[in-house]
Amino acid sequence: MEHPVLFLSILLEKLGLPIVHSADEAHTFLQKLLLPHVVYTWVVAAVLLILAKLAVSRLELVPSGGQNFFEMVLTGIEDFMVGITGEEGRFAFPLIATLGFFILLSNYMGMIPGFFAPTANINTTAACALIVVTFTHVIGVRFHGVKYIKHFMGPIWWLTPLIFPIELIGHTARVLSLSIRLFGNIFGEELVLAILFFLAGLYLAPLPIMFLGLFTGFVQAFIFCLLSSMYFAGAIEEAH
């Protein structure tokens, strides 16, 4: 789903770059690199880097202003994650926090006219989901080594031929669960907003949906981080 007018796509097109608006039309690497969801993903990354730079530019022993706000937010996220994974999972906090901020900002970017929410494209959400699921197994191997395979074998050895494929399917389904849930909600919100703008944009009809989008955008980022933390916790604990 895309807005009728995408400012950055128009700007890049004016600069003579080969802009296309769907993956089916992208036949070269440069065209794929300039797809709307990729371009606005770089915008989100740039904004996050700038905010991070500003947050650490003037660190004080007694925090105040922006530093106090960022420390409060980051401490809250870390305490929330550690409450799920335990102290052993604290090392995964940077990944959870980065994904949370990236998804939140991506969700909100689609609410700005002329901009596009990267999370309204299944490729972006699938990439985030693959990172989480892959890192889940990295954590499992880190904590248990070869014994991590016991997580897939079930509690009784003679049930292993039945449990093992079920576990593999379940872990693969995590990618679909994380990616499709996030994509579906943001894409649906974008679709409703576009319809309302076309039908009654002059009469402020989209405003209620936009206010609702502020809430749902946060909830979707929260759910993604919650499920990711639960997957990490499952990989850390001993197999039963």
Side-chain angles (χ1 to χ4, degrees), residues 43-196:
V43 173
V44 173
V47 171
L48 289 176
L49 287 174
I50 292 172
L51 290 176
K53 178 63 177 178
L54 292 175
V56 301
S57 60
R58 291 184 178 181
L59 294 179
E60 300 176 352
L61 186 61
V62 180
S64 61
Q67 181 185 345
N68 189 43
F69 172 76
F70 280 111
E71 286 191 10
M72 180 182 65
V73 172
L74 292 173
T75 301
I77 296 175
E78 184 177 21
D79 291 343
F80 169 77
M81 192 203 75
V82 171
I84 298 174
T85 63
E87 287 295 329
E88 299 89 348
R90 189 181 293 274
F91 75 96
F93 163 70
L95 176 61
I96 292 292
T98 301
L99 285 172
F101 284 124
F102 172 78
I103 293 172
L104 182 65
L105 186 57
S106 296
N107 294 347
Y108 285 166
M109 182 164 288
M111 301 178 64
I112 304 173
F115 284 73
F116 178 70
T119 44
N121 186 285
I122 189 65
N123 295 291
T124 304
T125 58
C128 293
L130 283 171
I131 291 172
V132 169
V133 173
T134 301
F135 194 66
T136 298
H137 300 306
V138 170
I139 291 174
V141 173
R142 171 181 174 177
F143 276 86
H144 307 291
V146 179
K147 293 182 179 179
Y148 179 58
I149 194 68
K150 291 183 178 180
H151 283 74
F152 300 86
M153 299 175 65
I156 305 174
W157 67 267
W158 50 269
L159 282 177
T160 298
L162 175 64
I163 299 298
F164 190 77
I166 293 176
E167 286 290 337
L168 288 180
I169 294 172
H171 281 261
T172 303
R174 290 179 177 181
V175 178
L176 297 176
S177 174
L178 287 173
S179 59
I180 293 178
R181 178 187 294 107
L182 179 57
F183 159 72
N185 280 275
I186 304 305
F187 176 82
E189 176 192 317
E190 291 272 293
L191 183 61
V192 171
L193 279 175
I195 293 173
L196 289 177

Side-chain angles (χ1 to χ4, degrees), residues 17-20 22-23 25-39 42:
L17 295 174
I19 300 298
V20 295
S22 68
E25 301 173 358
H27 303 296
T28 66
F29 176 76
L30 182 58
Q31 287 178 325
K32 294 177 180 178
L33 194 63
L34 295 175
L35 286 169
H37 70 278
V38 178
V39 171
W42 285 112

